[in-house]
Amino acid sequence: MISACSNKQSNQAQSGGYSIAKTDNQLVNKYCGSCHLPPSADLLDKKTWVNSVLPIMAHKLGVQSIRGNQYYLDPDAKVTHKISLTKWMKIVKYFKNEAPDSLEPATPPVPLSKDWSIFKLKSPPQKKISKNPSATFMVKMDTADGRIYTSDASTNKLYEWDRNLNRKLVRSLSSPAVNLKFVSGKENRRYGVITTIGTTRAADIFKGKVFRLNLDTLNKDEADTIATQMDRPVMSVDGDFNKDGRKDWVVCAFGHDAGGLFLFEQNADHTYTKKAISGLPGAIDVKVDDFNNDGWPDLMVLFAYADEGIWLFTNNKHGGFDSRNLLEFPPVYGSTSFQLVDMNNDGLLDILYTNGDNADFSRILKPYHGVRIFLNEGDFHYKKAYFYPIDGTTKAIAKDFDGDGDLDIATISFFSDFKNKPSESFIYFEQTGPLTFTPHALPIYKKGRWLTMDAGDIDDDGDLDIALGSFTQNYVRQSSYPSEWGASSPLVILLNTTK
């Protein structure tokens, strides 16, 4: 959450829909704003600021903490920005005085309808599923062949499932696969470019890989390497960014204190040359398109760590990119995903955005977690037009699920309020009018804890289904996740009954 600095000098970007008043505390603006959007004290409660977040922030400014409330200067600290102990204690005092004792929960604009809507549940045959807690780290549909691929973070294995949810092993990997992109191959064989994260720990461990794999040669070693020794890569996308006729790759290395956004240009001998686009950690989601209509592929990227926000990287046609911030969010937002879709049918791509990562230093329920729609007003200006609060939102997918010509939305929440609002872990938003949605909470929260999601016509009947991957490992003993809930099934399918 609070990480590497990016030399932010002003509070200029949009907040994303939550009240973030520009604080009158000049020290907060100067020092906190040197790394990210200066946070308003009302984003967290007093206890969380004082006991959890401020000690971590102090470390980034050359100050160490003892038991979370006593501070001293670290003269040997190697940080970009240093602060005096006197000034730091004034910042601590500011948050103590201004932060609320607790955060008020958000009130949804429309109550949940608890029903199945247009879906029905399909689960794997239980006799073939391990009784161990599930650890699905990725789910990806190959609708052309009626297959689903999942990654198991406990075993580092990549699995293939058929339409009846029978499973077979593709191969064992060096670390969990977090992203799979299908690419064309020779002799009608199926290929995929797989991104493995290296480590699931929040640490800078450079063991992530990106490689091309023949999905038809099960358990064989045939693979073409694109990138190795990456710092927790989470997504890879392709494009011919230098227009030399060869496919290049852009990799989001989420990292921890390190990380970055990298271009791998393909050479004539099919090796790759690595170039840094951004040296900041937290790149989690990237889209490729010719956004400025100059004939060259550009990037739009979500950064979800420290200086959270969405950036446009326009191709400068000389092997590099020029960056522009489109939306910026506070460092406690926990950004998780975005999608570019035309939500209002005006011919412009809007932004569907989710935030809800709650595995960092401020593990409390946050009323600003949820799903948002930012409408494209032209010239890369976006305005928030819709917000639905959902605790711990992980991902949203907008597609015309009910076949009526407009876009609906499916959301999952990994960090739901399982004690009080468990039904929010999966919501289907049926669009019933212009940016008007009826939210349906399907009764599936006892079937798993949804970390990953994909959508497509897996049963080849003409409508769009949804695959949900469950990750219950390390969580089944928590009081907020009741032990009688399903913990072993790696995935479920929500079959669309529209057609």
Side-chain angles (χ1 to χ4, degrees):
M1 183 189 64
I2 310 296
S3 185
C5 296
S6 59
N7 297 316
K8 303 300 296 182
Q9 299 297 324
S10 62
N11 181 2
Q12 297 177 346
Q14 298 185 48
S15 69
Y18 188 70
S19 174
I20 307 169
K22 187 174 181 180
T23 175
D24 57 1
N25 189 301
Q26 294 180 353
L27 292 175
V28 173
N29 279 334
K30 178 179 179 179
Y31 289 99
C32 300
S34 67
C35 294
H36 47 67
L37 196 67
S40 175
D42 60 3
L43 286 168
L44 299 173
D45 62 73
K46 197 183 306 291
K47 180 180 178 181
T48 302
W49 277 122
V50 172
N51 296 340
S52 300
V53 175
L54 290 177
I56 300 299
M57 293 175 66
H59 174 70
K60 305 299 180 181
L61 295 171
V63 178
Q64 295 291 340
S65 66
I66 303 174
R67 294 187 295 275
N69 55 18
Q70 299 178 37
Y71 294 95
Y72 65 93
L73 284 180
D74 180 3
D76 299 322
K78 297 180 180 180
V79 296
T80 305
H81 303 274
K82 287 190 176 183
I83 191 173
S84 70
L85 190 59
T86 299
K87 290 179 178 179
W88 174 251
M89 294 313 298
K90 288 183 178 180
I91 290 178
V92 173
K93 182 179 179 181
Y94 168 79
F95 284 100
K96 280 184 177 180
N97 291 340
E98 299 297 325
D101 292 330
S102 62
L103 301 186
E104 292 295 324
T107 301
V110 180
L112 288 175
S113 298
K114 298 182 179 181
D115 55 47
W116 285 97
S117 186
I118 59 173
F119 296 97
K120 65 179 181 180
L121 182 68
K122 185 177 182 63
S123 301
Q126 288 301 309
K127 62 181 180 179
K128 297 184 178 181
I129 299 301
S130 168
K131 294 183 179 180
N132 296 325
S134 59
T136 303
F137 218 58
M138 177 200 75
V139 61
K140 183 69 174 179
M141 287 183 173
D142 180 5
T143 55
D145 291 289
R147 295 177 174 92
I148 302 172
Y149 292 86
T150 62
S151 167
D152 190 307
S154 63
T155 63
N156 297 339
K157 291 181 177 179
L158 180 68
Y159 290 104
E160 179 186 286
W161 306 73
D162 63 18
R163 287 191 173 99
N164 295 317
L165 296 187
N166 296 305
R167 183 181 73 178
K168 65 180 179 181
L169 176 66
V170 177
R171 69 179 58 205
S172 295
L173 305 171
S174 58
S175 67
V178 67
N179 182 236
L180 169 59
K181 181 173 177 57
F182 300 108
V183 294
S184 58
K186 57 185 178 181
E187 299 176 357
N188 295 320
R189 291 183 176 179
R190 296 176 303 119
Y191 290 82
V193 170
I194 295 175
T195 304
T196 57
I197 195 169
T199 178
T200 58
R201 293 172 49 205
D204 291 309
I205 297 176
F206 294 76
K207 293 185 177 181
K209 299 178 181 179
V210 182
F211 54 93
R212 181 174 175 266
L213 187 68
N214 185 338
L215 297 173
D216 286 325
T217 56
L218 303 184
N219 271 325
K220 294 183 180 180
D221 294 331
E222 181 184 344
D224 298 322
T225 300
I226 296 171
T228 60
Q229 297 180 318
M230 298 295 294
D231 190 3
R232 302 179 76 204
V234 294
M235 177 172 282
S236 303
V237 294
D238 63 290
D240 185 2
F241 295 100
N242 55 7
K243 301 188 76 170
D244 65 355
R246 295 186 290 267
K247 181 178 291 187
D248 313 307
W249 288 86
V250 168
V251 181
C252 293
F254 188 88
H256 183 53
D257 286 328
L261 183 71
F262 298 96
L263 169 66
F264 288 82
E265 286 185 338
Q266 186 175 176
N267 304 311
D269 62 356
H270 304 302
T271 61
Y272 291 85
T273 299
K274 179 182 178 182
K275 294 183 177 181
I277 300 173
S278 170
L280 294 177
I284 195 172
D285 204 347
V286 55
K287 316 299 180 188
V288 179
D289 204 344
D290 180 11
F291 292 109
N292 59 358
N293 297 312
D294 66 351
W296 290 71
D298 310 305
L299 304 167
M300 198 174 291
V301 184
L302 173 63
F303 286 82
Y305 201 56
D307 198 12
E308 296 192 32
I310 296 175
W311 269 258
L312 174 67
F313 292 86
T314 52
N315 197 321
N316 66 14
K317 309 176 187 179
H318 300 289
F321 296 84
D322 300 319
S323 66
R324 173 180 177 177
N325 178 240
L326 304 180
L327 293 170
E328 193 168 22
F329 309 109
V332 297
Y333 246 41
S335 301
T336 48
S337 76
F338 83 110
Q339 184 183 354
L340 297 176
V341 284
D342 185 3
M343 293 298 303
N344 57 355
N345 293 314
D346 65 352
L348 300 175
L349 290 176
D350 310 305
I351 293 176
L352 177 67
Y353 162 86
T354 62
N355 67 310
D357 185 0
N358 224 0
D360 225 314
F361 307 112
S362 56
R363 299 182 184 182
I364 61 171
L365 297 174
K366 301 179 175 74
Y368 42 87
H369 278 178
V371 58
R372 289 172 174 81
I373 296 171
F374 295 93
L375 291 182
N376 190 338
E377 297 185 316
D379 194 28
F380 302 111
H381 292 288
Y382 297 84
K383 182 178 180 180
K384 185 182 74 71
Y386 182 81
F387 170 59
Y388 194 96
I390 310 170
D391 292 311
T393 319
T394 313
K395 187 174 183 179
I397 295 177
K399 290 182 179 292
D400 185 7
F401 289 103
D402 58 7
D404 65 353
D406 55 26
L407 294 177
D408 314 297
I409 301 172
T411 65
I412 54 173
S413 172
F414 186 68
F415 296 100
S416 284
D417 181 357
F418 286 106
K419 182 178 180 181
N420 300 304
K421 295 182 289 184
S423 57
E424 289 186 350
S425 63
F426 175 86
I427 301 176
Y428 163 61
F429 291 85
E430 174 192 4
Q431 186 166 186
T432 56
L435 297 185
T436 302
F437 298 89
T438 298
H440 301 268
L442 276 63
I444 60 171
Y445 56 86
K446 293 184 179 181
K447 302 295 183 180
R449 182 168 178 164
W450 317 122
L451 177 64
T452 182
M453 171 175 61
D454 197 15
D457 185 7
I458 196 62
D459 56 0
D460 198 27
D461 66 350
D463 52 27
L464 296 170
D465 313 300
I466 297 173
L468 302 177
S470 175
F471 192 106
T472 60
Q473 191 180 67
N474 304 328
Y475 295 98
V476 293
R477 294 182 179 87
Q478 290 185 353
S479 59
S480 60
Y481 193 84
S483 59
E484 70 271 14
W485 291 10
S488 60
S489 181
L491 81 164
V492 299
I493 305 298
L494 299 177
L495 291 175
N496 195 326
T497 62
T498 300
K499 294 185 179 180

